[in-house]
């Protein structure tokens, strides 16, 4: 099956969103599963909306997820260039050919005339669509329109037959001819539209399988018409299910959950995001929900994609991210936390050997508790704070009461002369002094000590944290609370 050629062809407008990235993942996985070719193409012919910043975000997102492409920007390939803004001559030739062969025509209708057509269709309860006003203009009519100074777009003449295809995800689909009116492929200013550039590039780049979102299903007959007009073989189409958000509504670009960069910034792992996005419409089989990109590629077949809408569940995504964090070895996890600790001002740009050693020692303490790398600062900041260490004011008010201060005072006295300042002896000494000696329940006994040592009510394991801080720093923090 190595003749499989799939493509991911986003427009560089705005931030990459979850549905778009899921489409890239499924295309990549199908190419890898079949031994085929994954083509990355940028559809940037909309000069008013496209941006270089968005283009770079697309490239960065695919690289972050480890979705390597075989042909495309920064890689090259036999059908380069892969940015449509650099292929305008290809589209000009294709449009000219369609005009010459009578498969397209110039349309001189004004926006006002087209709106009037739509209004009339609504009044008559007809589906709005172009009514073919300019389909068969005489040379005299064309000359008259041009003498008026009217500009023209290029429209494709739709063949008069129904459109059928066997969708790889949805099965047999039929769309009646009257549902697909003649459509524009070139704007009045000469800019080619998606309806021209997408099928032309798919033909030129020999795309065999078009796997894309369900929202583009209605445009498929137009593309089939372009293949017919240009005498090209028709690829197989597969329309992937919608990704739904809160309230079972389609996840739109405006939904905060849809912005893929948010997950990168919050410290989700690329392995986890690929894993979770794969579950939005596909399953590896059985009850297995934890798998790598390699495992996905081994098992992925687009025919196994579920046609039903998939709901993006942030809690499940986060839970899978936590599973991946726990699956990392300690050194790998520590290295991935460093950029987030630096971002939060907890570690400097140049991490010293001593700081790195402390981080490695502390990583197992938080690995079971973390859901995202972005939480590392809140969990580990107290270890690296030094003289800048502070206690959370709200936690102090709740926990460091009069009794809390008495607990801290007793704890400092119990630890002052402890021969072996390690987790187990610390726990034993505090239990004897606070639980047995003061007759306080463990939660009430260790809570004030935790706040004094870590600055928060919720922290990594207390006794191991004190061992990492060392006797002097631990006692200083306990006494500092008493001095306030």
């Amino acid at each position: 099956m190595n003749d499989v050629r799939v493509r991911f062809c986003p427009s560089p407008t705005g931030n990459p969103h979850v549905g778009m990235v899921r489409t890239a993942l499924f295309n990549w996985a199908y190419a890898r599963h079949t031994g085929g070719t994954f083509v990355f193409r940028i559809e940037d012919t909309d000069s008013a909306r496209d941006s270089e910043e968005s283009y770079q975000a697309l490239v960065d997102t695919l690289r972050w997820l480890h979705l390597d492409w075989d042909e495309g920007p920064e890689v090259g390939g036999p059908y380069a260039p892969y940015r449509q803004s650099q292929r305008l001559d290809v589209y000009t030739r294709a449009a000219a050919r369609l005009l010459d062969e009578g498969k397209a025509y110039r349309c001189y209708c004004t926006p006002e005339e087209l709106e009037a057509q739509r209004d009339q269709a609504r009044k008559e309860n007809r589906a709005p669509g172009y009514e073919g006003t300019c389909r068969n203009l005489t040379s005299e009519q064309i000359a008259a329109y041009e003498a008026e100074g009217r500009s023209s777009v290029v429209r494709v003449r739709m063949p008069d037959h129904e459109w059928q295809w066997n969708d790889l995800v949805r099965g047999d689909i039929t769309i009646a001819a009257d549902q697909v009116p003649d459509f524009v492929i070139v704007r009045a200013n000469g800019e080619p539209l998606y309806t021209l550039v997408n099928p032309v590039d798919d033909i030129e780049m020999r795309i065999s399988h078009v796997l894309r979102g369900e929202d583009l299903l209605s445009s498929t007959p137009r593309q089939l018409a372009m293949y017919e007009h240009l005498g090209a073989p028709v690829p197989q189409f597969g329309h992937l299910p919608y990704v739904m958000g809160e309230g079972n509504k389609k996840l739109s670009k405006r939904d905060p959950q849809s912005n893929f960069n948010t997950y990168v910034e919050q410290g989700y792992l690329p392995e986890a995001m690929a894993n979770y996005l794969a579950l939005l419409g596909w399953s590896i089989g059985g009850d297995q929900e934890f798998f790598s990109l390699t495992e996905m590629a081994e098992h992925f077949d687009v025919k196994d994609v579920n046609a039903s809408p998939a709901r993006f569940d942030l809690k499940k995504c986060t839970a899978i991210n936590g599973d991946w964090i726990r699956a990392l070895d300690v050194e790998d996890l520590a290295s991935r936390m460093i950029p987030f600790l630096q971002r939060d001002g907890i570690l400097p740009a140049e991490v010293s050997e001593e700081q790195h050693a402390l981080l490695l020692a502390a990583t197992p303490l938080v690995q079971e508790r973390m859901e995202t790398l972005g939480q590392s600062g809140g969990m580990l900041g107290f270890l690296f704070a030094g003289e800048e260490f502070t206690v959370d004011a709200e936690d102090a008010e709740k926990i460091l009461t009069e009794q809390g201060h008495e607990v801290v005072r007793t704890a400092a006295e119990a630890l002052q002369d402890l021969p072996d300042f390690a987790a187990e002896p610390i726990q034993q000494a505090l239990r004897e002094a606070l639980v047995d000696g003061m007759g306080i329940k463990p939660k009430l006994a260790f809570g004030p000590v935790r706040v004094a040592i870590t600055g928060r009510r919720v922290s990594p394991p207390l006794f191991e944290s004190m061992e990492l801080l060392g006797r002097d720093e631990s006692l200083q923090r306990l006494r500092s609370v008493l001095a306030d």
Side-chain angles (χ1 to χ4, degrees):
M1 296 177 70
N2 61 3
D3 56 345
V4 167
R5 289 180 59 83
V6 296
R7 73 343 185 236
F8 173 56
C9 50
S11 297
T13 57
N15 293 313
H17 61 85
V18 164
M20 172 195 291
V21 178
R22 196 270 312 261
T23 297
L25 174 65
F26 281 15
N27 275 279
W28 175 90
Y30 192 56
R32 295 295 169 261
H33 178 72
T34 58
T37 302
F38 178 47
V39 179
F40 179 26
R41 190 173 76 217
I42 300 292
E43 299 202 338
D44 59 347
T45 54
D46 188 346
S47 57
R49 297 176 64 227
D50 299 331
S51 76
E52 197 65 19
E53 183 182 6
S54 181
Y55 159 72
Q56 194 58 53
L58 287 166
V59 172
D60 291 346
T61 296
L62 261 61
R63 291 211 185 283
W64 183 80
L65 276 170
H66 307 296
L67 301 183
D68 55 320
W69 54 97
D70 304 299
E71 299 177 21
E74 302 180 7
V75 171
Y79 304 104
Y82 291 89
R83 294 187 67 167
Q84 289 183 335
S85 58
Q86 299 167 4
R87 299 173 57 80
L88 297 179
D89 56 331
V90 174
Y91 314 129
T92 300
R93 288 195 300 270
R97 173 185 164 185
L98 292 169
L99 285 167
D100 290 344
E101 295 177 359
K103 295 167 181 172
Y105 57 92
R106 293 199 171 276
C107 171
Y108 295 87
C109 294
T110 65
E112 292 76 19
E113 289 167 343
L114 293 173
E115 185 57 39
Q117 285 185 21
R118 286 190 285 271
D119 286 342
Q120 189 62 33
R122 281 190 285 267
K123 288 176 185 175
E124 298 173 7
N125 290 320
R126 292 185 287 110
Y130 185 65
E131 296 179 359
T133 309
C134 297
R135 218 173 195 250
N136 299 297
L137 294 177
T138 64
S139 55
E140 289 81 7
Q141 287 174 310
I142 292 172
Y145 278 141
E146 294 190 346
E148 285 181 33
R150 288 198 185 202
S151 58
S152 64
V153 299
V154 177
R155 281 187 190 274
V156 163
R157 194 183 300 274
M158 284 296 291
D160 188 21
H161 61 72
E162 67 180 13
W163 301 97
Q164 294 182 318
W165 73 95
N166 182 261
D167 197 275
L168 292 167
V169 176
R170 300 172 184 281
D172 291 330
I173 293 179
T174 301
I175 296 180
D178 61 5
Q179 297 298 305
V180 195
D182 295 351
F183 58 94
V184 179
I185 58 172
V186 181
R187 287 192 175 98
N189 64 3
E191 276 192 354
L193 290 169
Y194 169 86
T195 45
L196 173 66
V197 298
N198 187 275
V200 165
D201 278 351
D202 282 351
I203 292 168
E204 293 247 338
M205 297 178 185
R206 304 183 185 279
I207 299 303
S208 64
H209 295 70
V210 174
L211 311 181
R212 60 187 188 175
E214 182 182 352
D215 54 319
L216 293 170
L217 189 148
S218 61
S219 71
T220 301
R222 299 176 181 178
Q223 295 194 273
L224 294 174
M226 293 291 284
Y227 290 112
E228 185 174 313
H229 282 332
L230 294 170
V234 178
Q236 290 185 264
F237 284 84
H239 289 89
L240 309 174
Y242 283 124
V243 177
M244 313 300 282
E246 295 290 333
N248 229 24
K249 295 179 181 177
K250 181 173 175 277
L251 200 62
S252 74
K253 279 189 172 183
R254 291 181 295 276
D255 293 321
Q257 281 184 301
S258 75
N259 184 349
F260 195 79
N261 290 343
T262 300
Y263 302 98
V264 180
E265 291 165 2
Q266 289 180 355
Y268 285 74
L269 305 184
E271 298 94 331
M273 289 306 296
N275 186 165
Y276 181 67
L277 291 179
L279 295 172
L280 298 179
W282 179 79
S283 167
I284 200 168
D287 296 328
Q288 185 179 349
E289 291 192 329
F290 185 86
F291 49 83
S292 66
L293 269 180
T294 302
E295 290 173 300
M296 181 187 180
E298 286 173 6
H299 293 87
F300 185 84
D301 191 327
V302 67
K303 293 176 182 176
D304 296 330
V305 173
N306 192 323
S308 301
R311 191 171 79 85
F312 188 93
D313 184 338
L314 182 58
K315 286 184 179 178
K316 186 170 182 179
C317 178
T318 304
I320 286 176
N321 197 67
D323 290 340
W324 271 99
I325 284 176
R326 288 183 281 282
L328 298 177
D329 67 54
V330 169
E331 288 202 11
D332 188 5
L333 177 55
S335 69
R336 296 190 196 211
M337 287 194 288
I338 287 173
F340 291 89
L341 294 169
Q342 290 171 324
R343 181 189 71 183
D344 293 344
I346 290 162
L347 285 178
E350 292 292 327
V351 181
S352 68
E353 286 185 20
E354 184 182 356
Q355 288 169 326
H356 193 263
L358 179 57
L359 177 59
L360 280 176
T363 297
L365 304 185
V366 297
Q367 188 162 14
E368 294 298 316
R369 292 165 167 76
M370 285 175 61
E371 291 184 313
T372 66
L373 298 177
Q375 294 170 344
S376 56
M379 289 188 174
L380 294 176
F382 75 95
L383 282 174
F384 299 92
E387 293 180 359
E388 296 178 10
F389 173 75
T390 57
V391 173
D392 181 84
E394 189 175 325
D395 285 353
E397 186 177 349
K398 288 181 179 178
I399 305 299
L400 296 177
T401 59
E402 186 175 337
Q403 184 190 46
H405 276 80
E406 188 58 35
V407 166
V408 171
R409 182 177 294 104
T410 304
E413 291 170 355
L415 296 174
Q416 183 170 338
D417 299 317
L418 190 66
D420 180 13
F421 203 81
E424 198 169 325
I426 291 170
Q427 180 178 7
Q428 187 176 345
L430 290 180
R431 185 171 290 277
E432 289 175 1
L434 305 178
V435 179
D436 300 338
M438 295 182 69
I440 303 174
K441 292 180 180 179
K443 183 178 180 182
L444 296 174
F446 301 137
V449 179
R450 184 183 301 279
V451 171
I453 292 293
T454 70
R456 299 170 57 181
R457 284 185 294 164
V458 180
S459 75
L462 174 60
F463 314 117
E464 288 81 354
S465 297
M466 295 177 76
E467 179 181 342
L468 290 177
L469 280 171
R471 182 195 308 275
D472 291 347
E473 182 65 24
S474 296
L475 289 173
Q476 182 178 328
R477 292 188 182 186
L478 293 170
R479 290 164 180 159
S480 176
V481 164
L482 299 172
D484 289 343

